[in-house]
Amino acid sequence: MRAVVQRVAKANVKVKGNVVGEISKGLLVFLGVGEDDSEKDLEYMVDKVLGLRIFEDENNKMNLSVMDIGGELLVVSQFTLYGDVRKGKRPSFTSSAYPELAEEIYEQFIEKCREKGIRTEKGVFGAHMEVSILNDGPVTILIDSKKVF
Protein backbone atom coordinates (compact mmCIF):
# COMPACT_ATOMS: atom_id res chain seq x y z
CA MET A 1 0.00 0.00 0.00
CA ARG A 2 1.05 3.53 -0.59
CA ALA A 3 -0.14 6.71 1.06
CA VAL A 4 0.46 10.40 0.77
CA VAL A 5 -0.40 11.87 4.15
CA GLN A 6 -0.90 15.59 4.61
CA ARG A 7 -1.35 17.39 7.91
CA VAL A 8 -4.35 19.67 7.45
CA ALA A 9 -6.21 22.39 9.29
CA LYS A 10 -9.27 21.35 7.27
CA ALA A 11 -10.11 19.33 4.18
CA ASN A 12 -13.10 18.15 2.19
CA VAL A 13 -13.89 16.02 -0.81
CA LYS A 14 -16.71 16.65 -3.27
CA VAL A 15 -18.37 14.40 -5.82
CA LYS A 16 -20.52 16.15 -8.45
CA GLY A 17 -20.35 19.34 -6.39
CA ASN A 18 -21.60 17.72 -3.17
CA VAL A 19 -19.40 17.38 -0.09
CA VAL A 20 -19.15 13.68 0.76
CA GLY A 21 -16.42 13.92 3.41
CA GLU A 22 -15.10 16.78 5.52
CA ILE A 23 -12.73 17.15 8.47
CA SER A 24 -11.15 19.85 10.56
CA LYS A 25 -7.69 19.37 12.12
CA GLY A 26 -6.16 16.05 11.22
CA LEU A 27 -4.79 14.10 8.28
CA LEU A 28 -5.75 13.84 4.64
CA VAL A 29 -4.72 10.38 3.46
CA PHE A 30 -4.49 9.61 -0.25
CA LEU A 31 -4.46 5.80 -0.22
CA GLY A 32 -3.39 3.50 -3.03
CA VAL A 33 -3.65 -0.29 -2.98
CA GLY A 34 -1.17 -2.48 -4.85
CA GLU A 35 -1.90 -5.75 -6.62
CA ASP A 36 -0.02 -7.83 -4.03
CA ASP A 37 -1.11 -6.04 -0.86
CA SER A 38 -2.21 -8.20 2.05
CA GLU A 39 -3.55 -7.98 5.60
CA LYS A 40 0.03 -7.34 6.71
CA ASP A 41 0.24 -4.24 4.49
CA LEU A 42 -3.12 -3.04 5.78
CA GLU A 43 -2.13 -3.41 9.44
CA TYR A 44 1.21 -1.70 8.77
CA MET A 45 -0.46 1.26 7.08
CA VAL A 46 -3.11 1.76 9.77
CA ASP A 47 -0.47 1.64 12.50
CA LYS A 48 1.90 3.97 10.65
CA VAL A 49 -0.70 6.59 9.69
CA LEU A 50 -2.33 6.74 13.12
CA GLY A 51 1.04 6.78 14.87
CA LEU A 52 2.79 9.43 12.75
CA ARG A 53 4.14 12.03 15.13
CA ILE A 54 3.72 15.09 12.92
CA PHE A 55 1.71 17.43 15.14
CA GLU A 56 3.44 19.92 17.43
CA ASP A 57 3.64 19.48 21.17
CA GLU A 58 3.83 22.33 23.71
CA ASN A 59 7.47 22.94 22.64
CA ASN A 60 6.57 23.28 18.94
CA LYS A 61 8.28 19.97 18.21
CA MET A 62 6.57 17.45 15.91
CA ASN A 63 5.97 14.87 18.61
CA LEU A 64 2.22 14.09 18.61
CA SER A 65 0.07 11.78 16.49
CA VAL A 66 -3.44 12.33 15.17
CA MET A 67 -4.59 10.07 18.00
CA ASP A 68 -2.79 12.21 20.59
CA ILE A 69 -4.50 15.41 19.44
CA GLY A 70 -7.96 13.92 18.90
CA GLY A 71 -7.68 14.72 15.20
CA GLU A 72 -9.65 13.38 12.27
CA LEU A 73 -8.93 11.54 9.01
CA LEU A 74 -10.15 12.09 5.49
CA VAL A 75 -9.26 9.06 3.35
CA VAL A 76 -9.35 9.35 -0.44
CA SER A 77 -8.69 6.41 -2.74
CA GLN A 78 -5.88 7.11 -5.20
CA PHE A 79 -4.79 4.33 -7.56
CA THR A 80 -2.53 6.83 -9.33
CA LEU A 81 -0.02 6.43 -6.48
CA TYR A 82 0.99 3.29 -8.40
CA GLY A 83 1.64 5.21 -11.61
CA ASP A 84 4.93 4.04 -13.13
CA VAL A 85 6.60 6.55 -15.45
CA ARG A 86 9.97 4.87 -15.85
CA LYS A 87 9.16 4.15 -19.50
CA GLY A 88 7.87 7.14 -21.39
CA LYS A 89 5.66 9.87 -20.03
CA ARG A 90 2.28 8.15 -19.87
CA PRO A 91 1.89 6.40 -16.51
CA SER A 92 1.29 2.67 -16.34
CA PHE A 93 -0.93 1.48 -13.50
CA THR A 94 -0.34 -2.26 -13.83
CA SER A 95 0.93 -2.49 -10.22
CA SER A 96 -2.29 -1.15 -8.73
CA ALA A 97 -4.87 -3.60 -7.44
CA TYR A 98 -7.98 -4.46 -9.43
CA PRO A 99 -10.85 -2.20 -8.33
CA GLU A 100 -12.72 -4.93 -6.40
CA LEU A 101 -9.70 -5.76 -4.22
CA ALA A 102 -8.65 -2.12 -3.90
CA GLU A 103 -12.08 -1.04 -2.71
CA GLU A 104 -12.24 -3.87 -0.18
CA ILE A 105 -8.86 -2.95 1.34
CA TYR A 106 -9.67 0.78 1.20
CA GLU A 107 -12.89 0.17 3.17
CA GLN A 108 -11.03 -2.07 5.65
CA PHE A 109 -8.48 0.71 6.22
CA ILE A 110 -11.28 3.15 7.03
CA GLU A 111 -13.03 0.69 9.33
CA LYS A 112 -9.83 -0.11 11.24
CA CYS A 113 -9.17 3.61 11.78
CA ARG A 114 -12.72 4.06 13.07
CA GLU A 115 -12.27 1.07 15.39
CA LYS A 116 -9.31 2.93 16.93
CA GLY A 117 -11.67 5.77 17.82
CA ILE A 118 -10.63 8.18 15.07
CA ARG A 119 -13.39 10.09 13.30
CA THR A 120 -12.76 9.02 9.71
CA GLU A 121 -14.44 10.50 6.66
CA LYS A 122 -13.94 9.28 3.11
CA GLY A 123 -14.33 9.99 -0.55
CA VAL A 124 -16.26 7.83 -3.02
CA PHE A 125 -14.19 4.96 -4.35
CA GLY A 126 -13.69 5.17 -8.10
CA ALA A 127 -15.46 8.51 -8.48
CA HIS A 128 -14.06 11.70 -9.93
CA MET A 129 -13.46 13.80 -6.82
CA GLU A 130 -12.50 17.37 -6.02
CA VAL A 131 -10.32 17.56 -2.92
CA SER A 132 -9.86 20.86 -1.08
CA ILE A 133 -7.30 21.21 1.67
CA LEU A 134 -5.73 23.75 3.93
CA ASN A 135 -2.34 22.09 4.40
CA ASP A 136 -0.90 22.86 7.84
CA GLY A 137 2.84 23.40 7.70
CA PRO A 138 2.97 22.23 4.99
CA VAL A 139 3.64 18.70 6.16
CA THR A 140 3.43 15.90 3.60
CA ILE A 141 4.66 12.33 4.23
CA LEU A 142 4.99 9.42 1.81
CA ILE A 143 4.45 5.89 3.15
CA ASP A 144 4.97 2.64 1.25
CA SER A 145 4.25 -0.61 3.08
CA LYS A 146 6.75 -2.45 0.87
CA LYS A 147 9.61 -0.15 1.89
CA VAL A 148 9.81 -0.99 5.56
CA PHE A 149 13.55 -1.67 5.67
Side-chain angles (χ1 to χ4, degrees), residues 18-71:
N18 297 313
V19 173
V20 296
E22 185 170 37
I23 64 168
S24 54
K25 187 173 184 168
L27 299 173
L28 171 62
V29 180
F30 292 106
L31 188 69
V33 179
E35 64 184 347
D36 60 350
D37 284 340
S38 67
E39 182 73 21
K40 182 179 176 183
D41 296 282
L42 175 61
E43 294 295 334
Y44 173 85
M45 194 61 72
V46 169
D47 181 63
K48 190 61 75 170
V49 168
L50 297 184
L52 277 177
R53 293 171 30 189
I54 58 173
F55 292 91
E56 281 92 9
D57 63 14
E58 64 279 353
N59 298 315
N60 287 330
K61 183 175 182 179
M62 284 198 288
N63 203 27
L64 302 174
S65 71
V66 70
M67 294 183 75
D68 295 330
I69 67 155

Side-chain angles (χ1 to χ4, degrees), residues 33 97-109 124-126:
V33 179
Y98 285 107
E100 299 79 18
L101 174 62
E103 184 173 15
E104 179 182 332
I105 293 175
Y106 167 76
E107 292 293 342
Q108 288 175 359
F109 177 88
V124 175
F125 186 90

Side-chain angles (χ1 to χ4, degrees), residues 1 5 19 38 56 63 85 95 100 110 120 149:
M1 293 178 80
V5 180
V19 173
S38 67
E56 281 92 9
N63 203 27
V85 293
S95 296
E100 299 79 18
I110 292 163
T120 305
F149 300 107

